[in-house]
Amino acid sequence: MKQTYKNSTPLMQLAGYPVGMHDMARACLLGRLNLGLWGDTGSGKTQLARDMMAHFGDKATFILGRNDMDTRELFQQINLEKLRTAKSSADVKELTDKIDYHLIVVDELPNCVPAVRAQLFNLFDGFVEINGRAYPIGKGYSMGIATGNIGQKFTESSNDLGRALKDRMHVIVDTDYFAPSASDALEILAGDTNPRVNFDTDGTDSSEDIIKRHNTLVQKEIPFEKLVLAGYLTHGLDYCMIGGKAGAKGAVQGGTVSSKRKLKDSWPAVITNHAQGSDEALVFPLSTRAAKSTLRLSQALDSVVEEKAGKNVEVDPIESMLNAYKFVGAYSGILSEAAVDAVYSGDKYKALEAVAQLARTQYAQQEVNIRDGLDMALSKKLDEKILNRFTGRWGFMKDVLVHLTQGDNPHGN
Ligand SMILES: Nc1ncnc2c1ncn2[C@@H]1O[C@H](COP(=O)(O)OP(=O)(O)O)[C@@H](O)[C@H]1O
Ligand SMILES: [Mg+2]
């Protein structure tokens, strides 16, 4: 496999192995997660996307985003120009059936006009939309990598590109934050001074291998610890207190329990009692979609670490999940930008690391309760004493455990 992109800066450590940008891109391939590479020009985004295309032989396509490209031209580029003259949905199906791109790379996506962008996102998710009907492409496996410049700024809450990205890109990485080290740069420069992206491939096509690994990954059982943590990130982090005031040791006194989701736009302004060490005014809970992406990315990162190690390794499920959370969450709109600016000098990863740190501590404190709760579920007998141990932001566990205890299948599978 020809790989030109070099970058030894770790994004995280898992089971003692550094996980870099290349590994993250591979995890997205294995997890079939759409990946956004956001950063300044010349940082190697296009090169990394090109390297990923090399895994798929001729079943990958490259589209350069331009503001004068319309959907007609886009369809031409992916050999679907006949769609315009297709008379029946059978005609359309015949055309789309032939499209077996597994990877669609869109370079400089923010340049595309909204109509083109919408079709590109559909391609990422494995279909083309014609007259309101979706036609599948890619023979069951397709994903997208998009690049964009930080200069082409999108604010997550206020424009439609931001919203579309949030909905359709599963993982977005700031490539400047994890830029190659000085020694990488030296190697890159010493190797080749051609400033163009290297488009060479050695002709190998490992599509089948990637799809096989992907299928194995999605069938693999998700550890219970990861599901509990996903619950914490979607429901635990929804819990907040409004009113009242910060008393001794930072505890809030006299407030009322609320839900960030229900507060909608009044979050985070309405959170005035900044309990010490609290992230209540910093982070919004994950959406169900983002929680699924987090679980999927975590499973994929575990696989990548195993590939690197060349053997079975025990990746701590909590570490794996919290790292996945950081990379799904950073650009997904869950952070209060005002709080990130004020407390973390605008550093989204640092802000999410603080959220992760609190999650880690809290999970450790709950570990015995969680284990007892699972035992209770397995015994099929509700125990109020155990249920009542889950309070505050862990209150969501009561619901989960009652369901597990009374349901037919305590593992939920
Ligand atoms: N990390 C890297 N490893 C190898 N080559 C790189 C790297 N970063 C940049 N380059 C080289 O620098 C040039 C510009 O990279 P490019 O991928 O076009 O950057 P971007 O898309 O971020 O603007 C290309 O020749 C590319 O091969
Ligand atoms: Mg580029």
Side-chain angles (χ1 to χ4, degrees):
M1 191 80 19
K2 185 137 182 135
Q3 299 291 334
T4 306
Y5 181 81
K6 283 192 188 70
N7 188 345
S8 62
T9 302
L11 275 61
M12 67 188 80
Q13 302 277 339
L14 285 180
Y17 293 87
V19 173
M21 195 75 88
H22 219 280
D23 301 316
M24 179 57 89
R26 175 136 183 107
C28 289
L29 253 49
L30 297 184
R32 200 189 152 207
L33 293 165
N34 297 333
L35 169 66
L37 300 171
W38 249 248
D40 255 330
T41 41
S43 58
K45 302 180 300 293
T46 306
Q47 188 66 62
L48 177 58
R50 274 282 169 191
D51 283 6
M52 291 302 126
M53 286 178 69
H55 293 283
F56 292 99
D58 60 0
K59 297 186 194 70
T61 190
F62 183 88
I63 293 158
L64 177 61
R66 300 192 332 263
N67 57 16
D68 59 348
M69 175 166 69
D70 55 14
T71 41
R72 170 199 293 247
E73 193 190 332
L74 171 65
F75 286 154
Q76 255 164 21
Q77 286 200 25
I78 56 172
N79 299 322
L80 277 176
E81 64 266 48
K82 290 205 188 94
L83 276 180
R84 309 207 129 241
T85 53
K87 299 232 162 35
S88 63
S89 52
D91 287 350
V92 175
K93 190 172 175 306
E94 201 193 318
L95 286 168
T96 50
D97 274 353
K98 291 202 191 94
I99 301 295
D100 61 351
Y101 294 129
H102 296 310
L103 170 62
I104 293 102
V105 168
V106 181
D107 210 16
E108 296 171 34
L109 175 107
N111 286 348
C112 297
V113 298
V116 170
R117 233 152 50 203
Q119 285 293 2
L120 286 168
F121 285 138
N122 291 343
L123 291 171
F124 285 8
D125 290 342
F127 66 94
V128 188
E129 193 197 305
I130 309 287
N131 298 329
R133 268 190 65 176
Y135 297 88
I137 60 147
K139 303 216 168 21
Y141 177 101
S142 77
M143 63 157 298
I145 299 181
T147 77
N149 290 338
I150 296 281
Q152 298 163 309
K153 215 168 173 61
F154 61 92
T155 45
E156 281 139 30
S157 45
S158 63
N159 72 33
D160 68 67
L161 172 59
R163 260 195 303 277
L165 284 170
K166 212 162 68 180
D167 288 350
R168 309 298 282 273
M169 303 307 295
H170 305 117
V171 179
I172 295 181
V173 185
D174 175 348
T175 54
D176 297 328
Y177 197 95
F178 301 101
S181 69
S183 64
D184 295 329
L186 198 68
E187 249 185 73
I188 295 165
L189 297 174
D192 176 8
T193 52
N194 179 357
R196 291 165 196 87
V197 169
N198 185 356
F199 279 30
D200 291 355
T201 64
D202 58 5
T204 47
D205 179 349
S206 42
S207 307
E208 267 181 40
D209 178 57
I210 289 170
I211 294 169
K212 206 175 87 202
R213 284 168 192 268
H214 167 71
N215 290 334
T216 310
L217 187 144
V218 295
Q219 279 157 22
K220 202 167 165 185
E221 195 177 349
I222 296 171
F224 186 68
E225 293 93 324
K226 288 193 182 183
L227 292 172
V228 171
L229 200 68
Y232 174 88
L233 299 171
T234 47
H235 297 287
L237 291 182
D238 185 45
Y239 177 95
C240 62
M241 294 286 284
I242 53 175
K245 56 175 197 275
K249 292 186 194 152
V252 180
Q253 289 171 345
T256 30
V257 173
S258 188
S259 145
K260 293 174 194 171
R261 279 193 191 93
K262 286 185 190 147
L263 290 171
K264 295 188 195 283
D265 287 346
S266 53
W267 183 88
V270 76
I271 312 278
T272 46
N273 47 45
H274 293 289
Q276 199 182 357
S278 168
D279 48 24
E280 282 185 16
L282 173 64
V283 74
F284 202 73
L286 286 185
S287 67
T288 307
R289 181 196 357 247
K292 287 170 87 175
S293 301
T294 303
L295 283 165
R296 178 70 71 82
L297 180 61
S298 164
Q299 294 287 84
L301 288 167
D302 295 353
S303 298
V304 168
V305 170
E306 294 220 330
E307 282 181 5
K308 280 173 85 100
K311 59 174 196 246
N312 266 11
V313 277
E314 277 294 316
V315 183
D316 177 357
I318 302 302
E319 279 318 299
S320 167
M321 272 297 279
L322 289 174
N323 276 295
Y325 169 64
K326 275 162 79 174
F327 288 91
V328 170
Y331 287 88
S332 72
I334 54 172
L335 286 166
S336 151
E337 292 201 20
V340 175
D341 287 346
V343 188
Y344 300 97
S345 325
D347 187 333
K348 291 178 160 56
Y349 295 107
K350 233 186 227 154
L352 284 179
E353 179 46 41
V355 178
Q357 190 53 47
L358 187 59
R360 237 173 242 130
T361 313
Q362 293 224 346
Y363 190 94
Q365 287 165 354
Q366 295 292 330
E367 209 156 10
V368 173
N369 296 339
I370 292 166
R371 205 163 303 150
D372 291 349
L374 187 59
D375 284 344
M376 175 191 77
L378 290 166
S379 78
K380 301 260 159 240
K381 263 187 28 218
L382 282 182
D383 182 338
E384 286 296 326
K385 274 206 213 86
I386 293 179
L387 290 177
N388 288 335
R389 289 195 221 155
F390 296 98
T391 58
R393 58 168 68 180
W394 286 87
F396 76 94
M397 277 300 287
K398 280 188 197 168
D399 225 34
V400 172
L401 290 171
V402 169
H403 176 81
L404 288 179
T405 308
Q406 295 178 336
D408 295 339
N409 189 335
H411 289 296
N413 55 22

